Amino acid sequence: MSTKNLYDKEAREKIKSLVEDIKTGILVTDMLSKPLSAVPMTTKQVDDHGAIWFLSRSDSEHNKNIEKDKDVQLLYTDNSEMEYVSIYGEAFIETNREVLEDLYSKVDDAWFEDGKDDPKLTGIKVNPKEAYYWDTKSNKYVTLFKIGMAAMGSDKDIGEKGKLNL
């Protein structure tokens, strides 16, 4: 696996590409406690500045944790495509109704009783500070073949990994 570190705009584009492909990640908050507080979250948007957006209830444990400590970890994995990304960042609770309406879709009605007018509707904005990715650039069958070939001595590149410097 080759290493390819990316910087600034390229790093933000790589995060956007991976996160939008994978869509659901694990949001880890209250990272100093054991066990870690981790919850699956569906990404609503990755904006032009590289911020990753989610919708959440104001009374959720992760919102309360973010209010105490803004440091979070996002973990995304797509086993079928063998793509993975780990993002460390700072989270902020968003209550601006215009922003929330832009992020909201009909699917979110399952979580919010009053739809986009639910008083408990909030957004979570994560500004990435540091990230690391693994991307095979091909499907798992091709990758498994390359791994098998590499095990037999063939020099096959099975993908790339690297630090995303933001």
Side-chain angles (χ1 to χ4, degrees), residues 18-166:
L18 288 168
V19 168
E20 287 180 344
D21 280 353
I22 299 170
K23 207 68 172 153
T24 301
I26 300 295
L27 171 65
V28 180
T29 60
D30 195 18
M31 296 192 298
L32 298 178
S33 295
K34 291 181 184 176
L36 293 172
S37 179
V39 61
M41 300 288 284
T42 300
T43 304
K44 299 304 290 185
Q45 175 185 35
V46 181
D47 69 24
D48 294 336
H49 305 289
I52 303 164
W53 289 86
F54 306 94
L55 291 177
S56 180
R57 293 177 53 88
S58 61
D59 58 354
S60 68
E61 183 179 346
H62 45 280
N63 273 45
K64 292 174 187 172
N65 289 340
I66 290 168
E67 289 171 359
K68 291 186 287 184
D69 181 6
K70 295 186 180 326
D71 291 339
V72 298
Q73 190 82 32
L74 294 171
L75 305 167
Y76 288 87
T77 180
D78 181 348
N79 289 331
S80 65
E81 296 297 320
M82 298 186 78
E83 296 176 329
Y84 312 92
V85 63
S86 172
I87 302 165
Y88 171 74
E90 203 170 46
F92 300 91
I93 306 298
E94 178 64 62
T95 57
N96 180 309
R97 294 320 260 179
E98 281 185 38
V99 172
L100 299 176
E101 284 185 25
D102 285 344
L103 296 173
Y104 201 89
S105 69
K106 193 70 177 154
V107 177
D108 299 315
D109 285 348
W111 304 104
F112 301 98
E113 287 180 27
D114 297 324
K116 62 183 173 186
D117 297 320
D118 194 307
K120 293 184 179 183
L121 174 65
T122 66
I124 296 175
K125 175 185 179 183
V126 176
N127 289 328
K129 291 172 135 182
E130 185 175 302
Y132 203 84
Y133 76 99
W134 300 262
D135 185 358
T136 61
K137 299 185 285 186
S138 56
N139 72 37
K140 74 177 171 183
Y141 298 110
V142 172
T143 301
L144 290 173
F145 175 75
K146 289 180 179 180
I147 291 170
M149 293 299 290
M152 295 184 336
S154 176
D155 187 20
K156 296 288 178 191
D157 185 7
I158 58 171
E160 65 184 31
K161 64 180 174 66
K163 188 173 181 180
L164 300 170
N165 299 291
L166 305 159

Side-chain angles (χ1 to χ4, degrees), residues 7-25:
Y7 300 88
D8 301 319
K9 184 179 179 193
E10 263 191 314
R12 286 190 299 278
E13 288 171 357
K14 185 67 173 183
I15 286 175
K16 183 175 176 102
S17 167
L18 288 168
V19 168
E20 287 180 344
D21 280 353
I22 299 170
K23 207 68 172 153
T24 301

